[in-house]
PDB file of all heavy atoms in Angstrom:
ATOM      1  N   GLY A   1      22.988 172.754 -71.002  1.00  0.00           N
ATOM      2  CA  GLY A   1      22.070 171.611 -71.014  1.00  0.00           C
ATOM      3  C   GLY A   1      22.779 170.298 -71.162  1.00  0.00           C
ATOM      4  O   GLY A   1      22.153 169.260 -71.300  1.00  0.00           O
ATOM      5  N   ALA A   2      24.119 170.341 -71.145  1.00  0.00           N
ATOM      6  CA  ALA A   2      24.878 169.112 -71.320  1.00  0.00           C
ATOM      7  C   ALA A   2      24.693 168.189 -70.137  1.00  0.00           C
ATOM      8  O   ALA A   2      24.545 168.628 -69.001  1.00  0.00           O
ATOM      9  CB  ALA A   2      26.362 169.438 -71.493  1.00  0.00           C
ATOM     10  N   SER A   3      24.717 166.891 -70.402  1.00  0.00           N
ATOM     11  CA  SER A   3      24.568 165.901 -69.338  1.00  0.00           C
ATOM     12  C   SER A   3      25.827 165.865 -68.502  1.00  0.00           C
ATOM     13  O   SER A   3      26.941 165.997 -69.027  1.00  0.00           O
ATOM     14  CB  SER A   3      24.317 164.511 -69.929  1.00  0.00           C
ATOM     15  OG  SER A   3      23.147 164.515 -70.688  1.00  0.00           O
ATOM     16  N   PRO A   4      25.712 165.728 -67.157  1.00  0.00           N
ATOM     17  CA  PRO A   4      26.884 165.669 -66.297  1.00  0.00           C
ATOM     18  C   PRO A   4      27.700 164.421 -66.561  1.00  0.00           C
ATOM     19  O   PRO A   4      27.171 163.382 -66.945  1.00  0.00           O
ATOM     20  CB  PRO A   4      26.282 165.660 -64.882  1.00  0.00           C
ATOM     21  CG  PRO A   4      24.923 165.096 -65.063  1.00  0.00           C
ATOM     22  CD  PRO A   4      24.465 165.563 -66.413  1.00  0.00           C
ATOM     23  N   GLU A   5      28.999 164.536 -66.372  1.00  0.00           N
ATOM     24  CA  GLU A   5      29.883 163.403 -66.531  1.00  0.00           C
ATOM     25  C   GLU A   5      29.627 162.386 -65.422  1.00  0.00           C
ATOM     26  O   GLU A   5      29.298 162.764 -64.291  1.00  0.00           O
ATOM     27  CB  GLU A   5      31.340 163.865 -66.476  1.00  0.00           C
ATOM     28  CG  GLU A   5      31.757 164.746 -67.659  1.00  0.00           C
ATOM     29  CD  GLU A   5      31.735 163.976 -68.968  1.00  0.00           C
ATOM     30  OE1 GLU A   5      32.101 162.786 -68.951  1.00  0.00           O
ATOM     31  OE2 GLU A   5      31.336 164.558 -69.992  1.00  0.00           O
ATOM     32  N   PRO A   6      29.769 161.088 -65.691  1.00  0.00           N
ATOM     33  CA  PRO A   6      29.601 160.076 -64.631  1.00  0.00           C
ATOM     34  C   PRO A   6      30.586 160.341 -63.511  1.00  0.00           C
ATOM     35  O   PRO A   6      31.726 160.724 -63.740  1.00  0.00           O
ATOM     36  CB  PRO A   6      29.906 158.765 -65.365  1.00  0.00           C
ATOM     37  CG  PRO A   6      29.686 159.055 -66.810  1.00  0.00           C
ATOM     38  CD  PRO A   6      30.067 160.494 -67.009  1.00  0.00           C
ATOM     39  N   CYS A   7      30.158 160.142 -62.268  1.00  0.00           N
ATOM     40  CA  CYS A   7      31.030 160.389 -61.126  1.00  0.00           C
ATOM     41  C   CYS A   7      31.332 159.081 -60.414  1.00  0.00           C
ATOM     42  O   CYS A   7      30.616 158.104 -60.550  1.00  0.00           O
ATOM     43  CB  CYS A   7      30.385 161.378 -60.140  1.00  0.00           C
ATOM     44  SG  CYS A   7      28.835 160.798 -59.452  1.00  0.00           S
ATOM     45  N   ASP A   8      32.413 159.092 -59.669  1.00  0.00           N
ATOM     46  CA  ASP A   8      32.810 157.931 -58.888  1.00  0.00           C
ATOM     47  C   ASP A   8      31.788 157.718 -57.792  1.00  0.00           C
ATOM     48  O   ASP A   8      31.560 158.595 -56.953  1.00  0.00           O
ATOM     49  CB  ASP A   8      34.203 158.200 -58.292  1.00  0.00           C
ATOM     50  CG  ASP A   8      34.727 156.997 -57.530  1.00  0.00           C
ATOM     51  OD1 ASP A   8      33.977 156.003 -57.370  1.00  0.00           O
ATOM     52  OD2 ASP A   8      35.878 157.068 -57.095  1.00  0.00           O
ATOM     53  N   ARG A   9      31.161 156.561 -57.712  1.00  0.00           N
ATOM     54  CA  ARG A   9      30.108 156.304 -56.729  1.00  0.00           C
ATOM     55  C   ARG A   9      30.647 156.279 -55.311  1.00  0.00           C
ATOM     56  O   ARG A   9      29.899 156.369 -54.359  1.00  0.00           O
ATOM     57  CB  ARG A   9      29.406 154.991 -57.055  1.00  0.00           C
ATOM     58  CG  ARG A   9      28.661 155.013 -58.375  1.00  0.00           C
ATOM     59  CD  ARG A   9      27.876 153.725 -58.561  1.00  0.00           C
ATOM     60  NE  ARG A   9      26.843 153.606 -57.548  1.00  0.00           N
ATOM     61  CZ  ARG A   9      25.658 154.186 -57.638  1.00  0.00           C
ATOM     62  NH1 ARG A   9      25.360 154.982 -58.648  1.00  0.00           N
ATOM     63  NH2 ARG A   9      24.757 153.995 -56.695  1.00  0.00           N
ATOM     64  N   LEU A  10      31.979 156.168 -55.154  1.00  0.00           N
ATOM     65  CA  LEU A  10      32.545 156.180 -53.818  1.00  0.00           C
ATOM     66  C   LEU A  10      32.769 157.601 -53.314  1.00  0.00           C
ATOM     67  O   LEU A  10      33.096 157.813 -52.159  1.00  0.00           O
ATOM     68  CB  LEU A  10      33.880 155.415 -53.805  1.00  0.00           C
ATOM     69  CG  LEU A  10      33.780 153.924 -54.131  1.00  0.00           C
ATOM     70  CD1 LEU A  10      35.166 153.300 -54.107  1.00  0.00           C
ATOM     71  CD2 LEU A  10      32.863 153.220 -53.147  1.00  0.00           C
ATOM     72  N   SER A  11      32.605 158.595 -54.203  1.00  0.00           N
ATOM     73  CA  SER A  11      32.804 159.988 -53.819  1.00  0.00           C
ATOM     74  C   SER A  11      31.588 160.801 -54.220  1.00  0.00           C
ATOM     75  O   SER A  11      31.612 161.561 -55.182  1.00  0.00           O
ATOM     76  CB  SER A  11      34.063 160.549 -54.493  1.00  0.00           C
ATOM     77  OG  SER A  11      35.185 159.789 -54.142  1.00  0.00           O
ATOM     78  N   PRO A  12      30.453 160.634 -53.517  1.00  0.00           N
ATOM     79  CA  PRO A  12      29.216 161.312 -53.889  1.00  0.00           C
ATOM     80  C   PRO A  12      29.346 162.819 -53.773  1.00  0.00           C
ATOM     81  O   PRO A  12      29.999 163.334 -52.878  1.00  0.00           O
ATOM     82  CB  PRO A  12      28.194 160.758 -52.888  1.00  0.00           C
ATOM     83  CG  PRO A  12      29.008 160.340 -51.724  1.00  0.00           C
ATOM     84  CD  PRO A  12      30.299 159.832 -52.295  1.00  0.00           C
ATOM     85  N   ALA A  13      28.715 163.516 -54.697  1.00  0.00           N
ATOM     86  CA  ALA A  13      28.733 164.972 -54.651  1.00  0.00           C
ATOM     87  C   ALA A  13      27.963 165.452 -53.441  1.00  0.00           C
ATOM     88  O   ALA A  13      26.923 164.909 -53.099  1.00  0.00           O
ATOM     89  CB  ALA A  13      28.093 165.521 -55.934  1.00  0.00           C
ATOM     90  N   PRO A  14      28.459 166.480 -52.771  1.00  0.00           N
ATOM     91  CA  PRO A  14      27.748 166.994 -51.598  1.00  0.00           C
ATOM     92  C   PRO A  14      26.439 167.642 -52.008  1.00  0.00           C
ATOM     93  O   PRO A  14      26.361 168.293 -53.051  1.00  0.00           O
ATOM     94  CB  PRO A  14      28.721 168.028 -51.026  1.00  0.00           C
ATOM     95  CG  PRO A  14      29.529 168.459 -52.201  1.00  0.00           C
ATOM     96  CD  PRO A  14      29.682 167.238 -53.055  1.00  0.00           C
ATOM     97  N   PHE A  15      25.393 167.453 -51.211  1.00  0.00           N
ATOM     98  CA  PHE A  15      24.140 168.105 -51.515  1.00  0.00           C
ATOM     99  C   PHE A  15      24.235 169.566 -51.111  1.00  0.00           C
ATOM    100  O   PHE A  15      25.118 169.967 -50.368  1.00  0.00           O
ATOM    101  CB  PHE A  15      22.970 167.415 -50.800  1.00  0.00           C
ATOM    102  CG  PHE A  15      22.959 167.567 -49.327  1.00  0.00           C
ATOM    103  CD1 PHE A  15      22.270 168.610 -48.741  1.00  0.00           C
ATOM    104  CD2 PHE A  15      23.632 166.676 -48.513  1.00  0.00           C
ATOM    105  CE1 PHE A  15      22.249 168.752 -47.377  1.00  0.00           C
ATOM    106  CE2 PHE A  15      23.616 166.812 -47.147  1.00  0.00           C
ATOM    107  CZ  PHE A  15      22.928 167.857 -46.570  1.00  0.00           C
ATOM    108  N   SER A  16      23.347 170.394 -51.610  1.00  0.00           N
ATOM    109  CA  SER A  16      23.493 171.828 -51.397  1.00  0.00           C
ATOM    110  C   SER A  16      22.168 172.470 -51.017  1.00  0.00           C
ATOM    111  O   SER A  16      21.649 173.313 -51.727  1.00  0.00           O
ATOM    112  CB  SER A  16      24.048 172.496 -52.658  1.00  0.00           C
ATOM    113  OG  SER A  16      23.229 172.201 -53.781  1.00  0.00           O
ATOM    114  N   LEU A  17      21.604 172.023 -49.917  1.00  0.00           N
ATOM    115  CA  LEU A  17      20.459 172.737 -49.374  1.00  0.00           C
ATOM    116  C   LEU A  17      20.929 174.116 -48.939  1.00  0.00           C
ATOM    117  O   LEU A  17      22.040 174.271 -48.434  1.00  0.00           O
ATOM    118  CB  LEU A  17      19.881 171.998 -48.164  1.00  0.00           C
ATOM    119  CG  LEU A  17      19.107 170.722 -48.444  1.00  0.00           C
ATOM    120  CD1 LEU A  17      18.695 170.069 -47.146  1.00  0.00           C
ATOM    121  CD2 LEU A  17      17.883 170.980 -49.283  1.00  0.00           C
ATOM    122  N   PRO A  18      20.116 175.154 -49.112  1.00  0.00           N
ATOM    123  CA  PRO A  18      20.512 176.477 -48.645  1.00  0.00           C
ATOM    124  C   PRO A  18      20.843 176.448 -47.161  1.00  0.00           C
ATOM    125  O   PRO A  18      20.249 175.675 -46.402  1.00  0.00           O
ATOM    126  CB  PRO A  18      19.257 177.318 -48.916  1.00  0.00           C
ATOM    127  CG  PRO A  18      18.561 176.610 -50.030  1.00  0.00           C
ATOM    128  CD  PRO A  18      18.821 175.154 -49.782  1.00  0.00           C
ATOM    129  N   PRO A  19      21.808 177.261 -46.717  1.00  0.00           N
ATOM    130  CA  PRO A  19      22.206 177.227 -45.311  1.00  0.00           C
ATOM    131  C   PRO A  19      21.075 177.627 -44.385  1.00  0.00           C
ATOM    132  O   PRO A  19      20.199 178.415 -44.750  1.00  0.00           O
ATOM    133  CB  PRO A  19      23.354 178.247 -45.243  1.00  0.00           C
ATOM    134  CG  PRO A  19      23.097 179.159 -46.404  1.00  0.00           C
ATOM    135  CD  PRO A  19      22.523 178.291 -47.482  1.00  0.00           C
ATOM    136  N   LEU A  20      21.098 177.046 -43.192  1.00  0.00           N
ATOM    137  CA  LEU A  20      20.113 177.400 -42.183  1.00  0.00           C
ATOM    138  C   LEU A  20      20.444 178.765 -41.599  1.00  0.00           C
ATOM    139  O   LEU A  20      21.609 179.157 -41.551  1.00  0.00           O
ATOM    140  CB  LEU A  20      20.126 176.354 -41.061  1.00  0.00           C
ATOM    141  CG  LEU A  20      19.696 174.961 -41.500  1.00  0.00           C
ATOM    142  CD1 LEU A  20      20.041 173.955 -40.407  1.00  0.00           C
ATOM    143  CD2 LEU A  20      18.211 174.935 -41.773  1.00  0.00           C
ATOM    144  N   PRO A  21      19.462 179.529 -41.148  1.00  0.00           N
ATOM    145  CA  PRO A  21      19.748 180.834 -40.553  1.00  0.00           C
ATOM    146  C   PRO A  21      20.558 180.696 -39.284  1.00  0.00           C
ATOM    147  O   PRO A  21      20.427 179.728 -38.549  1.00  0.00           O
ATOM    148  CB  PRO A  21      18.339 181.392 -40.259  1.00  0.00           C
ATOM    149  CG  PRO A  21      17.440 180.202 -40.217  1.00  0.00           C
ATOM    150  CD  PRO A  21      18.025 179.210 -41.167  1.00  0.00           C
ATOM    151  N   ALA A  22      21.409 181.687 -39.035  1.00  0.00           N
ATOM    152  CA  ALA A  22      22.268 181.640 -37.853  1.00  0.00           C
ATOM    153  C   ALA A  22      21.466 181.824 -36.582  1.00  0.00           C
ATOM    154  O   ALA A  22      21.849 181.382 -35.507  1.00  0.00           O
ATOM    155  CB  ALA A  22      23.348 182.714 -37.960  1.00  0.00           C
ATOM    156  N   ALA A  23      20.350 182.505 -36.670  1.00  0.00           N
ATOM    157  CA  ALA A  23      19.512 182.742 -35.495  1.00  0.00           C
ATOM    158  C   ALA A  23      18.069 182.438 -35.849  1.00  0.00           C
ATOM    159  O   ALA A  23      17.680 182.435 -37.018  1.00  0.00           O
ATOM    160  CB  ALA A  23      19.638 184.200 -35.033  1.00  0.00           C
ATOM    161  N   MET A  24      17.279 182.186 -34.836  1.00  0.00           N
ATOM    162  CA  MET A  24      15.868 181.887 -35.045  1.00  0.00           C
ATOM    163  C   MET A  24      15.159 183.086 -35.651  1.00  0.00           C
ATOM    164  O   MET A  24      15.268 184.198 -35.156  1.00  0.00           O
ATOM    165  CB  MET A  24      15.215 181.539 -33.704  1.00  0.00           C
ATOM    166  CG  MET A  24      13.735 181.245 -33.807  1.00  0.00           C
ATOM    167  SD  MET A  24      13.391 179.829 -34.867  1.00  0.00           S
ATOM    168  CE  MET A  24      14.266 178.561 -34.007  1.00  0.00           C
ATOM    169  N   PRO A  25      14.452 182.930 -36.773  1.00  0.00           N
ATOM    170  CA  PRO A  25      13.734 184.047 -37.368  1.00  0.00           C
ATOM    171  C   PRO A  25      12.623 184.525 -36.453  1.00  0.00           C
ATOM    172  O   PRO A  25      12.148 183.800 -35.593  1.00  0.00           O
ATOM    173  CB  PRO A  25      13.169 183.447 -38.672  1.00  0.00           C
ATOM    174  CG  PRO A  25      13.094 181.979 -38.409  1.00  0.00           C
ATOM    175  CD  PRO A  25      14.246 181.666 -37.497  1.00  0.00           C
ATOM    176  N   SER A  26      12.202 185.771 -36.680  1.00  0.00           N
ATOM    177  CA  SER A  26      11.149 186.333 -35.834  1.00  0.00           C
ATOM    178  C   SER A  26       9.845 185.585 -36.000  1.00  0.00           C
ATOM    179  O   SER A  26       9.040 185.482 -35.089  1.00  0.00           O
ATOM    180  CB  SER A  26      10.943 187.815 -36.179  1.00  0.00           C
ATOM    181  OG  SER A  26      10.649 187.958 -37.563  1.00  0.00           O
ATOM    182  N   SER A  27       9.603 185.048 -37.194  1.00  0.00           N
ATOM    183  CA  SER A  27       8.443 184.187 -37.402  1.00  0.00           C
ATOM    184  C   SER A  27       8.920 182.917 -38.097  1.00  0.00           C
ATOM    185  O   SER A  27       9.745 182.980 -39.009  1.00  0.00           O
ATOM    186  CB  SER A  27       7.389 184.893 -38.267  1.00  0.00           C
ATOM    187  OG  SER A  27       7.936 185.239 -39.519  1.00  0.00           O
ATOM    188  N   PRO A  28       8.439 181.755 -37.654  1.00  0.00           N
ATOM    189  CA  PRO A  28       8.925 180.491 -38.221  1.00  0.00           C
ATOM    190  C   PRO A  28       8.549 180.344 -39.675  1.00  0.00           C
ATOM    191  O   PRO A  28       7.532 180.875 -40.126  1.00  0.00           O
ATOM    192  CB  PRO A  28       8.222 179.439 -37.347  1.00  0.00           C
ATOM    193  CG  PRO A  28       7.020 180.129 -36.821  1.00  0.00           C
ATOM    194  CD  PRO A  28       7.413 181.558 -36.630  1.00  0.00           C
ATOM    195  N   PRO A  29       9.348 179.607 -40.467  1.00  0.00           N
ATOM    196  CA  PRO A  29       9.016 179.376 -41.869  1.00  0.00           C
ATOM    197  C   PRO A  29       7.708 178.611 -41.996  1.00  0.00           C
ATOM    198  O   PRO A  29       7.297 177.885 -41.103  1.00  0.00           O
ATOM    199  CB  PRO A  29      10.197 178.524 -42.368  1.00  0.00           C
ATOM    200  CG  PRO A  29      11.281 178.705 -41.358  1.00  0.00           C
ATOM    201  CD  PRO A  29      10.596 178.955 -40.062  1.00  0.00           C
ATOM    202  N   ASP A  30       7.066 178.781 -43.135  1.00  0.00           N
ATOM    203  CA  ASP A  30       5.845 178.038 -43.412  1.00  0.00           C
ATOM    204  C   ASP A  30       6.188 176.568 -43.607  1.00  0.00           C
ATOM    205  O   ASP A  30       7.241 176.234 -44.139  1.00  0.00           O
ATOM    206  CB  ASP A  30       5.189 178.595 -44.682  1.00  0.00           C
ATOM    207  CG  ASP A  30       3.839 177.958 -44.946  1.00  0.00           C
ATOM    208  OD1 ASP A  30       2.844 178.428 -44.387  1.00  0.00           O
ATOM    209  OD2 ASP A  30       3.807 176.982 -45.708  1.00  0.00           O
ATOM    210  N   VAL A  31       5.277 175.683 -43.188  1.00  0.00           N
ATOM    211  CA  VAL A  31       5.568 174.250 -43.280  1.00  0.00           C
ATOM    212  C   VAL A  31       5.782 173.802 -44.716  1.00  0.00           C
ATOM    213  O   VAL A  31       6.502 172.839 -44.978  1.00  0.00           O
ATOM    214  CB  VAL A  31       4.445 173.408 -42.634  1.00  0.00           C
ATOM    215  CG1 VAL A  31       4.343 173.694 -41.151  1.00  0.00           C
ATOM    216  CG2 VAL A  31       3.112 173.639 -43.315  1.00  0.00           C
ATOM    217  N   SER A  32       5.185 174.511 -45.668  1.00  0.00           N
ATOM    218  CA  SER A  32       5.329 174.114 -47.070  1.00  0.00           C
ATOM    219  C   SER A  32       6.733 174.359 -47.599  1.00  0.00           C
ATOM    220  O   SER A  32       7.097 173.866 -48.664  1.00  0.00           O
ATOM    221  CB  SER A  32       4.318 174.878 -47.939  1.00  0.00           C
ATOM    222  OG  SER A  32       4.594 176.271 -47.928  1.00  0.00           O
ATOM    223  N   GLN A  33       7.544 175.122 -46.848  1.00  0.00           N
ATOM    224  CA  GLN A  33       8.892 175.455 -47.296  1.00  0.00           C
ATOM    225  C   GLN A  33       9.952 174.494 -46.776  1.00  0.00           C
ATOM    226  O   GLN A  33      11.112 174.587 -47.170  1.00  0.00           O
ATOM    227  CB  GLN A  33       9.254 176.881 -46.836  1.00  0.00           C
ATOM    228  CG  GLN A  33       8.276 177.947 -47.272  1.00  0.00           C
ATOM    229  CD  GLN A  33       8.136 178.020 -48.779  1.00  0.00           C
ATOM    230  OE1 GLN A  33       9.115 178.161 -49.494  1.00  0.00           O
ATOM    231  NE2 GLN A  33       6.910 177.910 -49.267  1.00  0.00           N
ATOM    232  N   VAL A  34       9.580 173.565 -45.891  1.00  0.00           N
ATOM    233  CA  VAL A  34      10.574 172.714 -45.246  1.00  0.00           C
ATOM    234  C   VAL A  34      11.352 171.894 -46.267  1.00  0.00           C
ATOM    235  O   VAL A  34      12.572 171.773 -46.197  1.00  0.00           O
ATOM    236  CB  VAL A  34       9.907 171.776 -44.215  1.00  0.00           C
ATOM    237  CG1 VAL A  34      10.919 170.788 -43.656  1.00  0.00           C
ATOM    238  CG2 VAL A  34       9.299 172.601 -43.086  1.00  0.00           C
ATOM    239  N   LEU A  35      10.655 171.319 -47.242  1.00  0.00           N
ATOM    240  CA  LEU A  35      11.306 170.465 -48.230  1.00  0.00           C
ATOM    241  C   LEU A  35      11.396 171.107 -49.603  1.00  0.00           C
ATOM    242  O   LEU A  35      11.667 170.439 -50.586  1.00  0.00           O
ATOM    243  CB  LEU A  35      10.555 169.134 -48.352  1.00  0.00           C
ATOM    244  CG  LEU A  35      10.558 168.254 -47.108  1.00  0.00           C
ATOM    245  CD1 LEU A  35       9.857 166.943 -47.389  1.00  0.00           C
ATOM    246  CD2 LEU A  35      11.960 167.998 -46.619  1.00  0.00           C
ATOM    247  N   LEU A  36      11.216 172.411 -49.677  1.00  0.00           N
ATOM    248  CA  LEU A  36      11.215 173.092 -50.966  1.00  0.00           C
ATOM    249  C   LEU A  36      12.470 172.823 -51.789  1.00  0.00           C
ATOM    250  O   LEU A  36      12.385 172.600 -52.997  1.00  0.00           O
ATOM    251  CB  LEU A  36      11.031 174.596 -50.758  1.00  0.00           C
ATOM    252  CG  LEU A  36      10.818 175.429 -52.023  1.00  0.00           C
ATOM    253  CD1 LEU A  36       9.536 174.988 -52.733  1.00  0.00           C
ATOM    254  CD2 LEU A  36      10.740 176.915 -51.673  1.00  0.00           C
ATOM    255  N   PRO A  37      13.691 172.822 -51.182  1.00  0.00           N
ATOM    256  CA  PRO A  37      14.888 172.618 -51.997  1.00  0.00           C
ATOM    257  C   PRO A  37      15.121 171.154 -52.396  1.00  0.00           C
ATOM    258  O   PRO A  37      16.094 170.874 -53.075  1.00  0.00           O
ATOM    259  CB  PRO A  37      16.035 173.087 -51.072  1.00  0.00           C
ATOM    260  CG  PRO A  37      15.371 173.779 -49.925  1.00  0.00           C
ATOM    261  CD  PRO A  37      14.029 173.140 -49.799  1.00  0.00           C
ATOM    262  N   LEU A  38      14.272 170.240 -51.980  1.00  0.00           N
ATOM    263  CA  LEU A  38      14.527 168.824 -52.237  1.00  0.00           C
ATOM    264  C   LEU A  38      14.543 168.494 -53.723  1.00  0.00           C
ATOM    265  O   LEU A  38      15.281 167.623 -54.163  1.00  0.00           O
ATOM    266  CB  LEU A  38      13.466 167.968 -51.542  1.00  0.00           C
ATOM    267  CG  LEU A  38      13.685 166.446 -51.587  1.00  0.00           C
ATOM    268  CD1 LEU A  38      14.912 166.088 -50.788  1.00  0.00           C
ATOM    269  CD2 LEU A  38      12.466 165.718 -51.085  1.00  0.00           C
ATOM    270  N   GLY A  39      13.743 169.232 -54.503  1.00  0.00           N
ATOM    271  CA  GLY A  39      13.662 168.930 -55.929  1.00  0.00           C
ATOM    272  C   GLY A  39      15.004 168.984 -56.627  1.00  0.00           C
ATOM    273  O   GLY A  39      15.257 168.237 -57.574  1.00  0.00           O
ATOM    274  N   GLY A  40      15.908 169.844 -56.175  1.00  0.00           N
ATOM    275  CA  GLY A  40      17.224 169.961 -56.783  1.00  0.00           C
ATOM    276  C   GLY A  40      18.106 168.762 -56.537  1.00  0.00           C
ATOM    277  O   GLY A  40      19.170 168.631 -57.153  1.00  0.00           O
TER     278      GLY A  40
END
């Protein structure tokens, strides 16, 4: 629960959205899932 150390603003941490699938899924994701990882 410790607070993160301040970071250099010129070197922003990379965001980490889950990787996209390598191939098109058999059924498309639900629209409600498009921005699900944004909260992180």
Side-chain angles (χ1 to χ4, degrees):
S3 300
E5 293 294 323
C7 61
D8 183 354
R9 295 186 64 83
L10 296 179
S11 302
F15 69 92
S16 55
L17 287 176
L20 295 167
M24 179 61 60
S26 56
S27 59
D30 186 85
V31 296
S32 65
Q33 305 301 306
V34 174
L35 296 183
L36 188 62
L38 187 66

